[in-house]
Amino acid sequence: MIGRRAAAGLTAAALAATTLAAPAVRAQGSPARTLRFAPHAPLANLDPIWGTQYVVRNAAMLVWDTLYGIDSRLEPKPQMAEAHEISDDRLAWTIRLRSGLRFHDGEPVRGADVVASLERWMVRDPMGQAIRALREELSALDDRTVRLRLSAPYPRLLQALGAIGAPCAFIMPERIARTDPFTQIDEVIGSGPMRFRKDEWDPGARATFERFERYEPRDEPADWIAGGKRIAFDRIEWIARPDPAATVAALQSGELDWWEQVAPDHAPVLRRNRQIGLDIADPLGNIGSLRFNHLHPPFNDVRARRAIAMVVDQADYMRAVVGDDDVLWRRAPSFFTPETPLYSDAGGEILSGPRDHDVARRLLAESGYDGQPITLLVAEDVAPLKAMGQVTHRLLRELGCVVDYVATDWGTVARRRAVRAPPAEGGWNIFHTWHAGVDCASPAGYTALRTNGDGAWFGWPNDPGIERLREAWFAAATPAEERAAVAELNRASMAFMTWVPTGLFMAYQAWRRSVSGIVKAPLPLFWGVAKA
């Protein structure tokens, strides 16, 4: 549950794991089958703690498991955990693992693995950081029992351990989890339903996952990342093509079974094909992001950041992303997800009022901008990011800025955005991404909204006042207090202009009608999917 009571008000239409095709799940022992899937981006790495790329998180859901899993009501349910106990003062949590859990190398999952994995995750995740600050003890009492003792209650502990938002609290073998959280792991061993075939991996084009025969799913029905994760395939192949037209052709010919994110221009063609199903993948959508580097000029000055916001027209960005299909986008002058209980557009006038290039140019000059190149990283192999990057390029030039347009791939952007050096020394000024609506429904695990300096997400914004407002939301005692706290948090974040929301967009997914069991969710879920 997000924000204690908040998630209960989320609309059923937005949050239900609606089945797009009636499931016909085959038993784990069914004949060999292969599912060919086109992800929204190439899988350039497979460390779900080191970074926050959604494509990595999505793949990691096949390979690793979590102690708890969030269901379609945003409620945490036991996953690797069998049960837990809480002390009367709510400071000590004792979690017992299910029996029979094994890693892909055949070794049992132990309490020591859980401890090491949570310690690595706590460094990178916002809720994990809060737990880490309260931690007095995190230890393995035995191979199946872990104890966490806190200095103060943390009511959202189970939500944190089962969260969908990257980085998730995946459990790894202790030897791997001891890797520095700011260094990528070099061994991919999980305990999830599929094992990663590193020997077949082409980071720019293909990734292969193979059934882990010793995986024991829970008895409950699957519901988002909770319940029994029963896979009906012996192999799942992720095939990323840089040309959307080639993906369309492959889906129509049967070379592909499922396309995660359909390029909008190609949706009408697929809709006319009776062998293809097409629908919105996630009703909560995604919030587009123009992300600043706060460490270096000109965007270390709030006036420069606000100058860019003053000329951003969300309609330009969203139509560049989704084309003429107005069903797929809406204006959203907020950092929070529209049509969710905590949504507020307080302070959003800077994005919804008239666009003023003259005032923006004056603000840029006052910030000290004197024509130095602005390094704009654009992942041209991910269609929405390429579209947003091109709009930003045009806006910067209209403001008289010199632009160093770095056309590259998403894997390179993911690596370079972690560089803190000045742009001329391999760093950057702006990159584009998006944040899933489910991650932006409350401040709880909202990584991109943090302004805690060196501990913040890429761009490293630093504003203690915004952090205090975030803490005020955590301390809220009633729904009204929660809503008021979020309104003030949004207002302050807009004034500081942590980053620029470029609008809310949704995406279609498409699949061969021979495939069943695909559901609407914030990420592609492979359990419960089958192929006739």
Side-chain angles (χ1 to χ4, degrees), residues 287-288 309 311-322 329-335 338 343 348 350-352 355 388 391 395 494 499-505:
I287 296 178
V311 297
V312 163
D313 186 336
Q314 290 186 335
D316 290 343
Y317 280 89
M318 294 298 93
R319 289 196 171 110
V321 169
V322 306
W329 75 278
R330 61 173 291 178
R331 294 181 187 272
S334 174
F335 292 99
Y343 177 75
I350 191 170
L351 292 175
S352 56
R355 307 295 82 197
M388 287 191 281
V391 175
L395 285 183
M494 283 289 175
W499 46 276
V500 182
T502 59
L504 181 90
F505 69 95

Side-chain angles (χ1 to χ4, degrees), residues 47 49 116-123 177 179-181 183 185:
D47 187 339
I49 305 301
S117 296
L118 294 183
E119 286 178 340
R120 186 170 191 255
W121 163 78
M122 284 178 182
V123 176
T179 304
D180 185 297
T183 301
I185 60 174

